[in-house]
Amino acid sequence: MGHTYDLARVQTTPDFSTDVVGAARNFLGFSWVVGFIVLSGYCIARSTANPSQPFSVRRYVRLRVSRIFPLLAVAACITAIFEYLMMGSTHRPPLWPDGLTPVTFLGAMMGLSGFVGQFGSLAPSYTISYELFFYGVWGLLLVLLRSQNLAWWIGLGLAGIAYLAGTYSEALFGDKAGTVSTLVTVLMPWLFMLLLIWLMGAGLFFQETRFRRWLRGVPPLFPWLAWLVFSIIGAGNGGHPLFAQSRGMALWFYLGLAALFCIAIAASLAAEHSSNPPWLDRWLGEISYPIFLIHGPVIVFAGYLLHRYHVNLPFFAYFGTCLAASLLAAILLVLGIERPIMRWRRRFRAKKLPA
């Protein structure tokens, strides 16, 4: 919704609905990516917790690769087709126009856009690079330490040290700081801050029983209201949006958001009375990755078609049309790609798990 707003705002004449949606824009973007990172840490820690079976690198890699790359490859190819059709046209919306090279295409296919550069309208998928980094760190720690709890503590310590080293590199290195690469001064603090958030999600799994006991009887709505209040306060104090002037403020803002996501997840788990989740939860879980990948190329291509064929819509109609197009594309990906892959993965996991 946030990216669709960005597109519709520059492609239409502003009106009252532009202001209404715009007021919520700060709460439609990266804040929810923080929640996704927390969920990822929780899910990966849970999937690798099997006391009766030693950690298998081969199985771990196979499950991670089969989850991330088939749909990513399809989305990258769709993006390449759309960008080819729009190439050189003045009708292409000015959203994510850069990075249309073979290198960035291959980087997108390999999940490396966060490191080698974004590929056109597939730009929002750059965070997959960080996700793969988290998987790699966690897998390496499990191989070396053979203990999830120890891996969590060591990972937390190393991520904190790396964050501080990158953030305060100028103070640490003095006049030599100019020779420290952007990798250390910019990417490293950002990457390891996100790793801290990912590890918070993993920590939620380790302490799930305790959290459920603490939050039993607490309506899940309450943590979400606290999240909203915290987001509003953060927005007013420079912690939000993404690239805040103060790195320290950004760190505490995003760690605070992550903590509230952990509490909201735990409250929802504590409120569950059945192992069968509601259909809406299942549907959101199923469609989240497809819509994350495909929404960028679809809304840009939809905007291109509307402009090329001179379809002049007011803001909210334009916004709704692009949003509906991305939702429809995500549903098609679920039916055609996601569900078959998930069925295959379940068969694979069933064969490997002990009876």
Side-chain angles (χ1 to χ4, degrees):
M1 290 180 67
H3 291 149
T4 307
Y5 166 81
D6 296 339
L7 174 67
R9 182 176 58 84
V10 299
Q11 294 293 101
T12 61
T13 302
D15 56 24
F16 175 74
S17 61
T18 311
D19 297 333
V20 171
V21 179
R25 176 62 183 94
N26 272 351
F27 312 108
L28 297 175
F30 196 82
S31 296
W32 295 100
V33 177
V34 171
F36 170 80
I37 293 172
V38 168
L39 276 174
S40 172
Y42 173 84
C43 292
I44 297 302
R46 184 170 182 167
S47 71
T48 53
N50 189 354
S52 63
Q53 187 179 25
F55 177 72
S56 168
V57 175
R58 181 179 179 183
R59 180 175 180 272
Y60 180 72
V61 171
R62 187 171 181 178
L63 287 174
R64 302 285 72 75
V65 168
S66 63
R67 183 68 187 97
I68 294 293
F69 287 100
L71 210 57
L72 177 60
V74 171
C77 290
I78 291 173
T79 303
I81 293 170
F82 285 174
E83 293 291 359
Y84 176 78
L85 294 174
M86 297 185 291
M87 188 176 295
S89 174
T90 58
H91 300 298
R92 188 200 186 282
L95 194 64
W96 309 306
D98 302 321
L100 299 174
T101 68
V103 171
T104 54
F105 173 71
L106 292 175
M109 293 281 284
M110 298 170 65
L112 299 176
S113 294
F115 303 126
V116 303
Q118 300 166 5
F119 179 61
S121 52
L122 196 61
S125 71
Y126 77 94
T127 54
I128 290 176
S129 303
Y130 306 153
E131 189 74 11
L132 294 175
F133 173 74
F134 306 152
Y135 295 164
V137 170
W138 187 246
L140 180 62
L141 289 172
L142 290 180
V143 168
L144 295 176
L145 303 173
R146 298 293 177 179
S147 165
Q148 277 207 326
N149 283 318
L150 186 57
W152 185 77
W153 282 108
I154 296 296
L156 206 63
L158 292 176
I161 292 170
Y163 172 81
L164 292 173
T167 300
Y168 299 104
S169 57
E170 292 185 13
L172 291 172
F173 297 109
D175 295 337
K176 297 179 181 178
T179 63
V180 179
S181 69
T182 302
L183 177 66
V184 174
T185 59
V186 178
L187 181 59
M188 196 166 98
W190 178 239
L191 192 59
F192 283 96
M193 182 185 76
L194 297 182
L195 179 58
L196 286 170
I197 291 170
W198 192 90
L199 289 168
M200 288 176 69
L204 171 62
F205 168 72
F206 300 137
Q207 300 298 325
E208 182 176 337
T209 301
R210 184 172 297 173
F211 271 102
R212 283 191 183 216
R213 185 171 62 250
W214 289 344
L215 295 170
R216 187 175 292 118
V218 175
L221 179 62
F222 286 6
W224 291 117
L225 291 175
W227 176 90
L228 179 61
V229 172
F230 185 80
S231 296
I232 294 172
I233 294 172
N237 287 276
H240 201 59
L242 178 58
F243 299 107
Q245 292 182 352
S246 168
R247 281 186 183 172
M249 177 63 74
L251 171 68
W252 292 112
F253 175 74
Y254 287 119
L255 289 181
L257 278 185
L260 288 171
F261 271 114
C262 287
I263 294 171
I265 293 168
S268 297
L269 292 171
E272 286 183 2
H273 301 291
S274 169
S275 59
N276 187 30
W279 70 268
L280 181 60
D281 289 357
R282 295 197 302 272
W283 182 79
L284 288 174
E286 191 175 42
I287 204 171
S288 60
Y289 186 47
I291 203 167
F292 163 73
L293 287 175
I294 205 62
H295 79 274
V298 168
I299 64 173
V300 170
F301 191 66
Y304 161 79
L305 292 176
L306 290 172
H307 197 267
R308 178 177 179 178
Y309 294 104
H310 308 290
V311 180
N312 296 316
L313 297 175
F315 169 83
F316 202 74
Y318 191 104
F319 176 81
T321 299
C322 293
L323 201 62
S326 62
L327 182 60
L328 176 60
I331 291 172
L332 294 176
L333 285 181
V334 166
L335 297 176
I337 306 294
E338 181 80 347
R339 286 183 178 175
I341 291 173
M342 291 301 103
R343 284 195 294 267
W344 175 81
R345 291 179 82 249
R346 282 192 290 269
R347 287 198 300 270
F348 168 71
R349 295 182 67 177
K351 291 178 183 178
K352 294 296 182 180
L353 290 175

